[in-house]
Amino acid sequence: MEHFLSMKDLSEHEILRLLKEAEAIKNGGQKPFEKQLFVGNLFFEPSTRTKMSFTIAERRLGFESLDFTGESSSLVKGESIYDTARTFEAIGASLLVIRHPEENMAARLAADISIPIINAGDGAGEHPTQSLLDLMTIHQEFKRFSGLRIAIAGDIKHSRVARSNAFALQTLGAEVYLSCKPEWEDRSLPYPYVSIDEAAEMCDVVMLLRIQHERHGKNKGVNPADYLRHFGLTVERERSMQPHAIILHPAPVNRGVEIEDELVECPRSRIFKQMENGVFARMAVMKHLLKDRGIIDDINIDQRDAISSR
């Protein structure tokens, strides 16, 4: 694995390998790297959960984090994003984490940058590390993907989370269903559409999505109460879910819009567990990228563990 850009690129074996590694790390199987390594965090969009999750994951692995904000960088002097990335590479970064409002930005940079790049969200394209933590949460619950019915419900057309999860879940053998307002359908995704009532009643997982207001342009103006009533997860719909079914949401959550306030932390909600799993999923991705590039190796890790155990 040279970069981590899209869930569509990954085989079932590669996804399961990452999930196994993330679970092992969560259970205490990873200490900081002995080798000094730097990682550049290039976030061109606002982010709370993803950026903080990466930062914690990096510190647990022993990275020195190099944070970047566009408004206080040479971008304001006309420097290109490519030159910014090349600068981080030249000064010694071993890895780049990139979030950008344009689709495929991370992939375009990866074609010309020699160090591993992680896509931390690209416009309405993909958000593969969010997908991996969602998959980790589902697997902890059901210990399988094959045969599970999973509904992705919300702003499908503008959601990078929907795209990454749909690709990965299909690869893993789950039955994927989509649910949304008619104008938010994305017919490039070959999965059946169902109503939110049908999704709640028949699925093992109901994965809600945030409304992507920032990508709607002039077509704004969703009435929160109307949206919740017709397309969101209400208490009444939650009561129709199967006893074992769970609720996911990538957050930030618009309480009372995509999901009724009291359901955010109800017994079948795994929303905060998703956030917790994000740190371990991102540690697994970074570790595998460095191992696959030969930047770290098992021998180095074993020697470090032996030293640290003395």
Side-chain angles (χ1 to χ4, degrees), residues 44-208:
F44 297 89
E45 268 189 346
S47 172
T48 301
R49 269 150 294 277
T50 302
K51 187 172 183 180
M52 293 303 104
S53 181
F54 266 109
T55 299
I56 293 174
E58 291 159 7
R59 290 180 181 177
R60 287 188 174 181
L61 288 174
F63 278 107
E64 300 279 352
S65 299
L66 307 173
D67 287 332
F68 167 90
T69 53
E71 59 271 19
S72 60
S73 75
S74 291
L75 287 178
V76 299
K77 303 176 185 175
E79 183 177 73
S80 68
I81 295 172
Y82 167 75
D83 282 333
T84 300
R86 283 285 288 122
T87 299
F88 275 80
E89 179 185 22
I91 63 176
S94 298
L95 182 69
L96 293 180
V97 178
I98 297 177
R99 167 171 285 198
H100 198 277
E102 290 182 32
E103 289 185 33
N104 298 317
M105 177 55 75
R108 292 203 296 273
L109 290 173
D112 297 311
I113 300 294
S114 64
I115 57 177
I117 290 180
I118 297 175
N119 177 8
D122 61 338
E126 285 213 44
H127 196 350
T129 59
Q130 174 68 45
S131 176
L132 194 66
L133 71 90
D134 293 340
L135 299 176
M136 184 177 177
T137 308
I138 293 169
H139 193 262
Q140 287 172 343
E141 198 75 28
F142 299 101
K143 310 303 180 191
R144 64 186 173 89
F145 294 99
S146 180
L148 289 181
R149 291 180 168 184
I150 299 178
I152 304 174
D155 192 353
I156 302 293
K157 185 176 182 179
H158 304 98
S159 173
R160 52 199 176 205
V161 176
R163 195 159 285 98
S164 285
N165 272 323
F167 295 149
L169 288 165
Q170 182 181 43
T171 299
L172 294 168
E175 297 178 29
V176 178
Y177 298 88
L178 305 177
S179 180
C180 66
K181 296 176 65 171
E183 58 267 40
W184 291 349
E185 290 184 2
D186 181 349
R187 290 298 173 182
S188 70
L189 296 174
Y191 309 100
Y193 280 84
V194 297
S195 71
I196 187 64
D197 291 306
E198 293 172 307
E201 291 171 7
M202 73 178 190
C203 287
D204 304 290
V205 179
V206 177
M207 181 186 296
L208 302 163

